[in-house]
Amino acid sequence: MAFQATRSLLIFLIFLSPLLSSVFVAGQSDCRITLNSALTARSNSPPWLSPSGEFAFGFRSPSGNKDLFLLSIWFNKVPELTIVWSKNDHPVEEGSKIQLTSAGEFVLYDSRGHEIWKARTGSQRSTCAAMLDSGNFVLMNGDSSNYIWESFDMPTDTFLPGQRLSMEGNLTSRQSESNYSDGRFQLRMQRDGNLVLYGIFLPTESVSGAYWASETDLANPPDTQLVFDEAGFIYLERGNKNILNVTKRPLGSRREFYYFARIDFDGAFRHYSRSRRNNAVDTGRGSSAWSVVQTTPEDMCAAVLKDLGSGACGYNSYCVNMDGTPNCFCPDGYSPLDPLNPHRGCRPNFELPSCQENGWESNVELVEFKELNNTDWPFTDYELQTGPEIDKERCKEFCLRDCFCAAAIYNGNNCWKKRFPLSNGRQSRDVNRIALLKVPKDSVTSTCPKAKDRSTTLL
Ligand SMILES: *[C@@H]1O[C@H](CO)[C@@H](O)[C@H](O)[C@H]1NC(C)=O
Ligand SMILES: *[C@@H]1O[C@H](CO)[C@@H](O)[C@H](O)[C@H]1NC(C)=O
Ligand SMILES: *[C@@H]1O[C@H](CO)[C@@H](O)[C@H](O)[C@H]1NC(C)=O
Ligand SMILES: *[C@@H]1O[C@H](CO)[C@@H](O)[C@H](O)[C@H]1NC(C)=O
């Protein structure tokens, strides 16, 4: 009988698609990383692979700085580096090491052998570790159904099929496409059962404001989790019931597609898919073969409008939504703070108006206004002039005659004076306002380095 049962189980397993194996927890046989195993951070050092080879665990240097490595998990069979988990708070130098020690502790050492991080496993010690086909890296203690530590419980910015986000769990965006340090947006599965996207202020993670919420909060909710199921759908589950679909479109089968979701550095929570067949390396710009199934929220520029914080883009820049991607631009007379990252905001190419005696802003001959149609920087106004007799030229005049004024916003009969830094800038056809930016004449061409006013975003 026992033999029969084993045999039918074996046949069952043989006929099962390897793609479905992530449905199952790891067996002892998957637990291939034994005590004293170690990986060293250097280019081309072979990682630990999952049984199917789909995911890898090891060191990568995604930042362009080849001397800095991140302990990471990535999709190993797609040509574009797609990191799904990393110890992003501990970039390490070449020669650093991750080791499952003989004592059963999982420790990251720097290049001089000092311990800089250790997986928290309470009083338990692991007997082995495994990179699973789901993308989950786990530490086990004998009993294979009981993980004493797993990367799925410590997510960074990415969410994978088979993973759950429990109450008080969160995902944090990174700084930019290539900088994996924590950025300024967070997805939180709250204790009240609400799933919320927040702008945050580092380093304290204080909230600058919510820009999307599932609105599923209750006074005393039963256990609520964000679920990424094996079929690739994302939804909110409460007491075993699907209460809200985050994924709203039909999907292709996981036999044909890879899926992941991520709170991106621009703050949008995106669900991505990619054909398993397309393994050609694209050489063109924006070379990723990952495509977006869904973006939440669909217009970041309009969603992130808060009196605290810079908005979807950085300070002094304005945001234009293009197919769900917030693009950030600097106005004339301003340049990107970081030429490689338009999301970090813009600095003026001139000295700020400060009402000094010989300041350019005090000499009307030296001042001009740059106009931007359908553009607004709400919230930083300090004075409002209103009335039907106010036209655009009078609005400029108000700002011109006020040496504190940085810019004015005009909408037909209101003229708002603005102070620095400008925030929450947005340009869209539905914004019926004209922005009037006060700059010194020729600030763009002569007195200052040339402004790069229209930078393009990555991705
Ligand atoms: C986010 O989750 C991390 C652990 O994954 C935790 O350390 C941190 O306190 C959480 N932050 C918030 C605001 O919940
Ligand atoms: C990423 O950004 C942070 C904060 O701006 C900075 O301290 C860090 O050096 C950057 N990391 C890399 C690898 O450039
Ligand atoms: C979520 O989507 C599935 C499949 O389209 C549907 O059957 C289900 O009723 C939806 N759930 C909710 C709560 O809308
Ligand atoms: C702004 O809009 C007005 C009226 O539609 C148009 O005449 C003007 O050329 C526009 N200015 C710019 C800078 O696009």
Side-chain angles (χ1 to χ4, degrees):
M1 279 304 278
F3 171 72
Q4 277 296 327
T6 314
R7 204 176 72 145
S8 41
L9 181 67
L10 203 68
I11 290 166
F12 174 67
L13 285 175
I14 286 168
F15 281 91
L16 234 137
S17 155
L19 302 182
L20 292 177
S21 58
S22 60
V23 180
F24 302 104
V25 293
Q28 271 303 289
S29 60
D30 291 329
C31 207
R32 297 174 184 178
I33 300 156
T34 53
L35 297 185
N36 285 317
S37 301
L39 284 177
T40 302
R42 62 171 59 97
S43 55
N44 303 324
S45 83
W48 289 326
L49 297 181
S50 71
S52 69
E54 250 159 51
F55 285 96
F57 181 98
F59 290 97
R60 296 298 302 244
S61 49
S63 68
N65 177 351
K66 296 279 172 264
D67 302 325
L68 267 191
F69 292 81
L70 277 185
L71 186 63
S72 315
I73 297 170
W74 62 92
F75 277 98
N76 193 45
K77 288 189 174 176
V78 308
E80 314 87 2
L81 177 59
T82 309
I83 288 179
V84 298
W85 178 89
S86 72
K87 201 77 209 92
N88 66 338
D89 48 348
H90 292 295
V92 293
E93 295 168 348
E94 178 161 359
S96 303
K97 193 169 80 168
I98 183 81
Q99 185 172 34
L100 185 61
T101 66
S102 55
E105 294 186 307
F106 198 53
V107 186
L108 179 63
Y109 300 98
D110 69 13
S111 53
R112 280 157 302 169
H114 296 142
E115 174 181 319
I116 54 177
W117 171 76
K118 182 158 74 182
R120 281 206 204 167
T121 55
S123 58
Q124 303 198 72
R125 294 287 171 263
S126 56
T127 51
C128 61
M131 179 71 254
L132 304 184
D133 283 334
S134 57
N136 195 8
F137 187 87
V138 300
L139 300 180
M140 294 193 221
N141 180 352
D143 178 3
S144 59
S145 64
N146 182 18
Y147 305 146
I148 61 171
W149 185 91
E150 52 186 304
S151 59
F152 271 13
D153 281 346
M154 300 277 142
T156 44
D157 58 358
T158 303
F159 199 43
L160 287 169
Q163 194 168 1
R164 286 165 174 262
L165 194 63
S166 312
M167 281 168 159
E168 294 184 353
N170 59 65
L171 305 175
T172 306
S173 72
R174 53 201 202 213
Q175 292 258 333
S176 68
E177 195 66 31
S178 60
N179 184 327
Y180 285 65
S181 301
D182 281 353
R184 52 190 195 92
F185 301 100
Q186 214 164 49
L187 175 78
R188 294 187 184 171
M189 182 69 252
Q190 297 185 157
R191 177 134 293 280
D192 65 4
N194 213 2
L195 180 70
V196 187
L197 287 165
Y198 284 108
I200 57 167
F201 295 119
L202 294 171
T204 57
E205 296 189 19
S206 303
V207 159
S208 74
Y211 54 94
W212 180 85
S214 61
E215 294 171 4
T216 48
D217 47 316
L218 287 178
N220 259 316
D223 185 40
T224 309
Q225 299 189 345
L226 184 66
V227 176
F228 205 151
D229 73 10
E230 296 292 342
F233 285 90
I234 303 173
Y235 57 88
L236 273 178
E237 184 181 88
R238 180 170 287 163
N240 292 326
K241 275 201 1 224
N242 172 348
I243 58 161
L244 181 114
N245 284 318
V246 176
T247 308
K248 299 202 161 63
R249 299 191 188 146
L251 297 172
S253 152
R254 275 195 70 206
R255 282 167 205 281
E256 287 168 46
F257 292 93
Y258 293 113
Y259 291 108
F260 74 89
R262 183 168 66 202
I263 180 162
D264 279 315
F265 72 94
D266 63 16
F269 183 60
R270 293 194 180 84
H271 189 175
Y272 288 90
S273 76
R274 187 192 195 289
S275 166
R276 288 174 186 267
R277 283 199 212 106
N278 182 0
N279 280 333
V281 184
D282 270 313
T283 46
R285 245 195 100 260
S287 62
S288 176
W290 289 102
S291 59
V292 176
V293 178
Q294 190 163 323
T295 305
T296 308
E298 284 176 7
D299 182 352
M300 275 298 290
C301 303
V304 189
L305 294 178
K306 298 289 164 220
D307 53 354
L308 283 180
S310 63
C313 295
Y315 293 104
N316 298 327
S317 62
Y318 62 95
C319 186
V320 181
N321 182 49
M322 295 174 186
D323 298 324
T325 301
N327 286 270
C328 301
F329 299 105
C330 293
D332 274 355
Y334 290 74
S335 325
L337 212 55
D338 175 354
L340 299 178
N341 182 4
H343 284 255
R344 289 204 51 213
C346 313
R347 56 180 170 72
N349 300 337
F350 49 85
E351 270 182 48
L352 292 184
S354 60
C355 299
Q356 302 304 312
E357 250 174 58
N358 294 316
W360 60 271
E361 69 278 8
S362 305
N363 182 347
V364 295
E365 296 299 311
L366 296 179
V367 177
E368 69 173 333
F369 283 87
K370 300 286 184 190
E371 294 185 21
L372 282 167
N373 284 342
N374 302 110
T375 308
D376 190 13
W377 276 273
F379 302 124
T380 53
D381 27 294
Y382 65 92
E383 213 172 282
L384 167 64
Q385 300 288 343
T386 188
E389 74 285 2
I390 295 173
D391 61 12
K392 191 173 74 184
E393 292 312 312
R394 278 206 72 193
C395 185
K396 284 185 196 170
E397 191 71 16
F398 290 139
C399 186
L400 179 71
R401 300 286 168 196
D402 179 348
C403 62
F404 287 111
C405 182
I409 302 289
Y410 175 67
N411 81 337
N413 40 35
N414 293 302
C415 178
W416 290 270
K417 288 190 201 166
K418 299 282 167 179
R419 62 164 77 89
F420 276 110
L422 303 169
S423 66
N424 294 277
R426 182 165 87 97
Q427 185 173 78
S428 165
R429 244 169 288 160
D430 63 12
V431 174
N432 292 315
R433 293 178 179 191
I434 301 174
L436 307 163
L437 292 131
K438 187 159 93 178
V439 301
K441 272 185 183 149
D442 299 331
S443 64
V444 185
T445 48
S446 59
T447 55
C448 293
K450 176 127 180 59
K452 194 165 166 257
D453 59 343
R454 288 231 154 196
S455 323
T456 46
T457 35
L458 306 163
L459 207 143

